[in-house]
Amino acid sequence: MSTVVLPRVPVRLGRFVLCMFRPHVYVTYGVLWVFALEGSAVALSGGAWRPTAATAVRAACVVLVLLFLRMLDEQKDLAHDRVHHPDRPLVTGAITVPELRGAMTVITVVVAGLNAALSPVAVLLILLPPAYALVLPALEAASAAVRERPLLNLAVTYPVQVLLGGYVCLTAAGSGTASADWRAVPLLALCAGVFLHFEFARKTAWESAPDDRLYSSVLGPAGSAAVALALVAGAVVCDVLLFRPTTVPGLLPCLPALLPAVAARRFLTARHGRWPLAPAMGYVVLTHLALVLQAVFPP
């Protein structure tokens, strides 16, 4: 039975975070995502966006919930990792299940407390994503299809991201800094297209092993690449629908779409290896950054 040695927990959790929740990746994504969503919602309401203390609360809580999800995934995938990823911290004993669950409890209390300063509705909204995520391990244990089919698994797990995005948009609207109307849907769809492009890109390859759980294993390399590009196209359509750009600065959030186009050409021409990951990561960062700049300096 695993035990928790309290004096060692902060160091062990710190090592886990640096290994499995690389701050320069996850924190950067979480903060830019919140800024892009909130800023775009304000810009669509006719104002120039400026971050506030409430913005900092939203960004911190989204990052903490993403960490909560990462910790939950490590426990959910433990049996698979024992066979296929024996170097993972939970498998090696660098961290234990009780330690992760204790940290998850602390995260839940912290995000609830931070949002209590915003509103009771904000508390409910920030607790919905981890609550939904806690149901997923039981669902995957009960359903081999959900567990083994990558596309079905994505359809079941992705709503956590939708709930987090909804938290940002709805709390921004509740504070009066942005309007709550139909435009929140294509705005969330825009960010979903950007994120899901990266998700498909990192799981698209010409060759695969049985334990890789790639989308290209189901759709074929060309089919998976087509979906990755379609998601980018969908994001561009949402951007044009929302902002109706008529100037070069207004087109700024669309320009990063050139990166996936170049990556797709390289991948489809090579006919071996994996989808280039650097352009996919660059697309996520640059699109969100462009949305933030557009919100701060509206055309």
Side-chain angles (χ1 to χ4, degrees):
M1 179 179 178
S2 300
T3 59
V4 177
V5 182
L6 289 178
R8 299 170 53 194
V9 170
V11 173
R12 290 163 65 86
L13 285 172
R15 290 172 178 166
F16 171 86
V17 169
L18 291 176
C19 177
M20 303 305 301
F21 191 81
R22 292 166 293 171
H24 67 285
V25 175
Y26 288 91
V27 176
T28 299
Y29 167 70
V31 171
L32 281 178
W33 183 31
V34 171
F35 284 9
L37 276 174
E38 182 183 312
S40 295
V42 171
L44 289 169
S45 301
W49 175 73
R50 297 294 183 270
T52 64
T55 306
V57 168
R58 294 183 190 102
C61 289
V62 165
V63 170
L64 286 172
V65 171
L66 291 175
L67 177 57
F68 179 104
L69 299 175
R70 183 84 282 277
M71 291 175 167
L72 182 62
D73 280 346
E74 284 300 293
Q75 298 168 66
K76 178 169 63 70
D77 297 337
L78 181 56
H80 179 268
D81 289 342
R82 282 186 175 129
V83 177
H84 301 290
H85 303 285
D87 58 338
R88 293 283 177 87
L90 197 55
V91 178
T92 63
I95 198 77
T96 65
V97 169
E99 287 168 345
L100 289 179
R101 290 178 178 173
M104 290 163 64
T105 301
V106 171
I107 288 172
T108 303
V109 172
V110 169
V111 298
L114 288 172
N115 281 275
L118 300 181
S119 72
V121 174
V123 176
L124 173 63
L125 290 172
I126 195 57
L127 293 179
L128 283 176
Y132 180 87
L134 287 171
V135 176
L136 296 177
L139 181 59
E140 291 190 13
S143 172
V146 173
R147 188 171 61 251
E148 302 296 339
R149 296 180 184 175
L151 294 174
L152 179 58
N153 186 268
L154 178 63
V156 169
T157 58
Y158 185 71
V160 175
Q161 293 270 343
V162 177
L163 291 172
L164 270 178
Y167 155 76
V168 175
C169 291
L170 290 173
T171 54
S175 67
T177 58
S179 300
D181 56 30
W182 65 271
R183 291 174 294 184
V185 175
L187 179 57
L188 289 172
L190 191 165
C191 290
V194 173
F195 173 83
L196 288 172
H197 166 75
F198 175 77
E199 171 68 12
F200 268 81
R202 75 185 185 92
K203 293 186 178 181
T204 295
W206 287 101
E207 308 88 17
S208 64
D211 64 303
D212 283 343
R213 298 179 178 177
L214 302 181
Y215 301 122
S216 53
S217 299
V218 179
L219 301 172
S224 189
V227 172
L229 285 177
L231 290 164
V232 174
V236 170
V237 168
C238 288
D239 182 82
V240 172
L241 173 66
L242 286 167
F243 298 104
R244 303 183 186 279
T246 57
T247 63
V248 173
L251 288 169
L252 190 62
C254 300
L255 295 181
L258 294 173
L259 288 174
V262 172
R265 182 178 183 279
R266 187 189 311 173
F267 175 76
L268 293 171
T269 301
R271 303 193 69 81
H272 68 83
R274 304 182 74 93
W275 184 288
L277 205 54
M281 294 180 68
Y283 171 64
V284 173
V285 172
L286 291 177
T287 302
H288 285 94
L289 187 58
L291 289 169
V292 172
L293 291 175
Q294 180 178 256
V296 174
F297 306 106

